[in-house]
Amino acid sequence: MPEKTSPHILTENNSNANGYTDNLAISGYPPTHKKEKPPSKYRKLVNWTIGSAVLAAIYAHFIWATWYFIEKTEATLDSTTCTGYGFWMIVFIFINFGVAYKFVLKKYLIAPIERYMWKPCAALFKKVPYATTGFLALIFVAILVFLIVDSSDDWWRLMPLTGLVIYVIMGFLLSPYKRQIPWTTVLSGLIAQFILGLLTIRWDVGRNIFSCIGDKVDTFLKYAVNASAFVYGDDLVLNQAIFAFNALAAIYIMSFTINILYYCGVMQSVVLNIGIFLQWLLGTPICESVNSAANIFLGMSESPFLIKPYLDHMTDSEIHSIMTSGFASVSGTVLAAYISFGATPAHLITSCVMSAPAALCYSKLMYPEVEEVLIKRENIKRIKMEYESLLDAAIKGAGEAAMIILGIIANLISFIATIYFFNGILTWLGTLVGYTEEGELWTLEIILGKVFIPLTYTMGVQWEECEKVGQLIGVKTIVNEFVAFQKMGEMDLSPRSKIIATYSICGFANPGSVGILLSTLGAFMPNKRENLTRLAFRSFLGGCFVCFMTACIAGLLTP
């Protein structure tokens, strides 16, 4: 049967009010708008001149810093890895690698290797029956052996394996197409999640790297606190540390910076390359891989903008994966609020990274692909953002941050008031049957804590702290993660239990987020609104289970 083309499927250059340009095209689907004119030679020359000047300034400063470090200081590279010259050297290496990759490596090294070596070897490997499954099974067995040997002095650390098995079984039972489950994708995702956890939680170098990144993020976000103190005064921001003026102020600088990076094309390149890597690693379609990668940096309602022109033409499995990824992660713009409650920046960043492959593999377990995927890697192009200038991008980023903050404040007031309302009713009902002591009052947190005790126990939390962590999971699931992180900051938990709790509640899976995501995606895919509502609860459960699986991995790797 010949391929059908549809002139109304996509547009070539379709701007929207949020500043995003849907500058994407699929082969075989002609655009309905005129193509964007290529940049003029003058504009190219200006860009090259500015880029060369910036690169020359970076090289000049690095040479100067190197001379000063060798001649004028007695510090070592190890002592300055995260604070001084050593950190600048790492940044300098990454800058050079990025330039070399863009202009040399990608075209003259990576492309020939992929064409003449990787693709032929991969095709030959696929011809061998069950070769991929067998290879992944060997890695999985090696991981199990490592865990058994590593936990020989403390067998309790293997308890989270029980949780992982339970969540995989639950995902299998909830799957409507059990025979179509791509077990290679599921195994690949679990292995990738474990390896990321091993590198970032257990390995000293990886843990130090993420701790350093977390410290830098924390330092960067604190600049917003100083700016907020200038606007609102030191008393409200620094002394009283009022949440709306202190913690939420960092959202302005995050949204401001992310918009600038998108205008410069940096974020698109990072997200697209991570998405391509996830597609290669897990075998998932490119759009949901890009969306999952974007969720590391953006929120569940911002990430779909990257693939907006394609959303209305996705399969149910792809839609389910996009929604699951949104519920299983948090936005980089709100990490500052969690940090202000006492959450460790390194673990928050690690959780976001680990959730990307985990959400993809678990979504394919709960809802495997049974339709034809229309959007392939070969016919997708990078998205651009329609801003008049760098200043325009920055101003719009600050304006969007204001809307995010207003939404957070409105949700917090509404949901916390609802908790107080239910607690008032429960307390009254409890007093009628004799529960009048302060420690015995019936509250929503106490009830949820007891309900989730078995869940937290399978994650590796010590029995005496299971109820406390269960309360956090319950509050996060019924209300939102902001309230859960706030309560975690008030609790006296052991370091290991706090780590497990951080991973288990680091996700947007809550009733308010369901409404937000349905509203956002419903506007993008009006022809798929029935599909969205049908898949919403399933993906909500999937997002919860992904967070719990990430917590299990953290429990396995944390002594």
Side-chain angles (χ1 to χ4, degrees):
M1 187 179 228
E3 283 189 3
K4 294 182 179 179
T5 59
S6 176
H8 65 273
I9 276 192
L10 292 175
T11 60
E12 180 78 14
N13 189 9
N14 195 11
S15 302
N16 57 66
N18 294 285
Y20 293 88
T21 297
D22 308 329
N23 191 18
L24 298 154
I26 291 183
S27 302
Y29 296 99
T32 59
H33 291 257
K34 294 181 180 180
K35 291 185 178 180
E36 184 181 356
K37 292 182 179 180
S40 63
K41 293 182 179 180
Y42 174 76
R43 185 177 176 183
K44 286 185 177 180
L45 180 61
V46 171
N47 291 340
W48 270 94
T49 303
I50 294 174
S52 300
V54 171
L55 199 61
I58 290 173
Y59 268 88
H61 183 273
F62 181 76
I63 293 171
W64 189 4
T66 303
W67 173 83
Y68 183 83
F69 177 77
I70 295 173
E71 298 294 334
K72 301 294 184 179
T73 67
E74 297 180 357
T76 62
L77 286 176
D78 290 340
S79 64
T80 59
T81 300
C82 191
T83 55
Y85 176 78
F87 182 75
W88 178 218
M89 177 180 283
I90 294 172
V91 173
F92 182 76
I93 292 172
F94 271 101
I95 292 173
N96 280 273
F97 176 79
V99 174
Y101 177 81
K102 181 176 181 180
F103 295 104
V104 180
L105 297 179
K106 185 177 181 180
K107 183 177 180 180
Y108 299 105
L109 182 63
I110 305 298
I113 289 176
E114 184 178 7
R115 184 182 304 120
Y116 299 112
M117 294 179 62
W118 177 256
K119 286 185 177 179
C121 291
L124 183 64
F125 193 71
K126 287 181 179 179
K127 292 180 180 179
V128 180
Y130 303 106
T132 304
T133 305
F135 178 70
L136 293 175
L138 285 176
I139 298 177
F140 202 75
V141 170
I143 290 173
L144 290 177
V145 172
F146 167 80
L147 290 173
I148 292 172
V149 173
D150 188 58
S151 305
S152 58
D153 58 340
D154 184 12
W155 294 111
W156 169 252
R157 281 179 49 205
L158 293 177
M159 173 56 73
L161 282 176
T162 307
L164 285 175
V165 172
I166 291 173
Y167 300 132
V168 171
I169 292 174
M170 292 178 70
F172 175 79
L173 294 176
L174 290 170
S175 177
Y177 309 108
K178 296 178 176 59
R179 293 186 178 181
Q180 282 76 30
I181 293 175
W183 288 107
T184 54
T185 297
V186 175
L187 282 175
S188 299
L190 290 173
I191 291 170
Q193 190 181 23
F194 177 83
I195 292 175
L196 284 171
L198 190 66
L199 293 176
T200 56
I201 297 175
R202 190 63 187 277
W203 189 36
D204 289 341
V205 175
R207 187 168 63 251
N208 290 336
I209 290 172
F210 269 75
S211 295
C212 179
I213 294 173
D215 291 340
K216 297 302 179 186
V217 171
D218 191 24
T219 301
F220 174 72
L221 296 178
K222 284 180 179 176
Y223 295 142
V225 176
N226 296 331
S228 181
F230 173 79
V231 175
Y232 299 115
D234 292 349
D235 185 51
L236 288 176
V237 179
L238 302 179
N239 299 333
Q240 299 185 42
I242 295 176
F243 178 74
F245 303 130
N246 184 300
L248 296 186
I251 296 177
Y252 285 107
I253 194 172
M254 284 297 296
S255 184
F256 181 90
T257 305
I258 286 175
N259 261 29
I260 290 175
L261 293 177
Y262 269 113
Y263 174 79
C264 296
V266 175
M267 286 297 293
Q268 291 96 317
S269 179
V270 171
V271 168
L272 185 59
N273 283 313
I274 295 176
I276 291 173
F277 174 75
L278 287 174
Q279 185 195 29
W280 168 80
L281 183 68
L282 305 178
T284 49
I286 183 65
C287 280
E288 57 191 85
S289 300
V290 169
N291 180 83
S292 184
N295 274 308
I296 299 174
F297 310 99
L298 303 176
M300 61 181 181
S301 33
E302 292 89 16
S303 298
F305 275 102
L306 293 174
I307 51 175
K308 178 180 176 290
Y310 306 129
L311 288 173
D312 208 26
H313 316 285
M314 288 188 171
T315 65
D316 283 356
S317 179
E318 288 179 294
I319 294 171
H320 179 267
S321 179
I322 288 171
M323 297 177 74
T324 302
S325 296
F327 290 133
S329 60
V330 294
S331 169
T333 57
V334 296
L335 292 183
Y338 309 151
I339 293 170
S340 70
F341 295 138
T344 305
H347 288 305
L348 292 173
I349 296 172
T350 303
S351 177
C352 293
V353 174
M354 290 175 64
S355 292
L360 286 173
C361 82
Y362 201 80
S363 67
K364 293 306 175 186
L365 173 65
M366 288 190 69
Y367 205 95
E369 187 63 78
V370 293
E371 304 172 67
E372 181 185 358
V373 177
L374 297 177
I375 304 155
K376 308 290 179 63
R377 175 183 170 184
E378 301 82 44
N379 47 35
I380 189 169
K381 293 182 180 180
R382 189 173 302 169
I383 196 169
K384 293 184 179 181
M385 297 184 73
E386 188 68 19
Y387 293 127
E388 296 298 328
S389 63
L390 189 71
L391 183 60
D392 182 47
I395 291 173
K396 287 182 178 177
E400 291 164 5
M403 299 303 297
I404 294 173
I405 289 174
L406 287 175
I408 291 173
I409 293 174
N411 280 325
L412 283 178
I413 293 174
S414 302
F415 282 109
I416 292 175
T418 304
I419 288 181
Y420 286 137
F421 171 70
F422 280 115
N423 283 346
I425 293 176
L426 291 171
T427 300
W428 174 65
L429 294 174
T431 56
L432 296 178
V433 292
Y435 286 87
T436 57
E437 297 284 336
E438 181 64 28
E440 296 182 349
L441 292 177
W442 286 2
T443 61
L444 192 63
E445 294 92 327
I446 290 177
I447 293 174
L448 291 174
K450 295 185 183 300
V451 170
F452 284 111
I453 283 176
L455 181 73
T456 56
Y457 188 71
T458 59
M459 293 180 187
V461 178
Q462 294 295 332
W463 179 259
E464 57 271 14
E465 294 184 312
C466 281
E467 186 172 348
K468 291 182 179 179
V469 178
Q471 289 179 16
L472 297 176
I473 294 175
V475 170
K476 175 258 179 187
T477 305
I478 301 299
V479 188
N480 58 45
E481 77 288 346
F482 280 99
V483 181
F485 275 111
Q486 182 185 33
K487 289 189 173 296
M488 188 180 74
E490 299 169 355
M491 286 183 176
D492 183 19
L493 294 172
S494 65
R496 187 171 187 273
S497 295
K498 187 176 181 180
I499 290 173
I500 295 174
T502 298
Y503 285 89
S504 65
I505 64 177
C506 194
F508 279 145
N510 59 70
S513 295
V514 173
I516 293 171
L517 191 57
L518 285 176
S519 300
T520 304
L521 294 180
F524 290 162
M525 47 177 77
N527 298 327
K528 299 273 188 178
R529 284 179 179 172
E530 291 184 3
N531 307 58
L532 291 171
T533 54
R534 176 166 48 84
L535 296 170
F537 183 68
R538 183 186 296 273
S539 58
F540 172 82
L541 290 178
C544 291
F545 291 150
V546 169
C547 293
F548 300 157
M549 290 174 65
T550 307
C552 288
I553 298 290
L556 282 170
L557 297 173
T558 303

